[in-house]
Amino acid sequence: VRSVLLTNAAGGIRPDLLPGDFVAITDHLNLIGDNPLRGAGGSERFVDLSEVYGPRLRNGLHEAAAQTPVALKEGVYAAVSGPSYETPAEIRAFDRLGADAVGMSTVPEAIVARQCGLSVAAVSCITNLAAGRSSGNLSHHEVLAIAEQKKAVVAQFLKTFCELYAKK
């Protein structure tokens, strides 16, 4: 294993990120309150995260998007612990910190993958607007409905990415 592709469902913070959009993660904010390397012994726990989501795999994501009906955007992902959705005040704070999307996964996996020396790419499917970004309440039903709606498109996109990756 040389590379890993992570996927998640996320809430859109940036105004142009709407339910059904796909975002290649360019960087992240670890707001989970923990690090998966805490407690590990030795110097291998001090991992350089300057470029977690490298351009080579991200370029591959854009190539795959160009061959499928995916309009791939880019953005910074904020990871929180969940399982509750965030408050509008938290979303305003995350926005000020530079987050474009928010979710409850991906960052611990990316950190461990980098510790193992793997190249990492990550894609978010925006399944809802983040708290305070719409007039309605957040609903897990909405998240599941958008994911269901997009499953064929994302399967085609991921398959194309894997085929392109295998040729390199």
Side-chain angles (χ1 to χ4, degrees):
V1 176
R2 298 179 314 233
S3 305
V4 63
L5 173 60
L6 305 171
T7 62
N8 65 56
I13 295 175
R14 199 172 72 211
D16 69 313
L17 296 180
L18 303 174
D21 286 347
F22 292 94
V23 178
I25 297 175
T26 59
D27 205 349
H28 71 242
L29 297 168
N30 184 1
L31 303 173
I32 291 176
D34 200 6
N35 186 305
L37 305 182
R38 183 173 287 149
S43 62
E44 65 275 1
R45 67 185 172 172
F46 297 102
V47 177
D48 179 14
L49 298 179
S50 300
E51 194 172 63
V52 177
Y53 312 94
R56 186 178 67 81
L57 289 178
R58 198 166 56 250
N59 289 340
L61 290 171
H62 284 286
E63 287 178 44
Q67 296 180 28
T68 62
V70 168
L72 188 65
K73 299 177 181 182
E74 292 193 343
V76 174
Y77 177 82
V80 297
S81 61
S84 59
Y85 294 109
E86 306 73 38
T87 69
E90 289 169 329
I91 294 302
R92 289 190 303 273
F94 301 162
D95 186 17
R96 287 186 187 102
L97 289 173
D100 299 305
V102 61
M104 303 172 199
S105 66
T106 306
V107 169
E109 296 90 333
I111 292 170
V112 170
R114 291 301 302 136
Q115 180 198 30
C116 294
L118 302 178
S119 297
V120 178
V123 176
S124 295
C125 177
I126 303 301
T127 53
N128 60 284
L129 296 178
R133 299 299 196 211
S134 71
S135 58
N137 292 329
L138 296 176
S139 157
H140 192 59
H141 174 73
E142 176 187 11
V143 170
L144 296 176
I146 293 294
E148 177 69 23
Q149 194 178 78
K150 291 296 181 175
K151 73 179 181 182
V153 171
V154 77
Q156 180 184 3
F157 169 62
L158 295 176
K159 181 178 184 248
T160 301
F161 172 80
C162 291
E163 290 168 348
L164 291 169
Y165 178 84
K167 292 177 183 176
K168 294 182 180 191

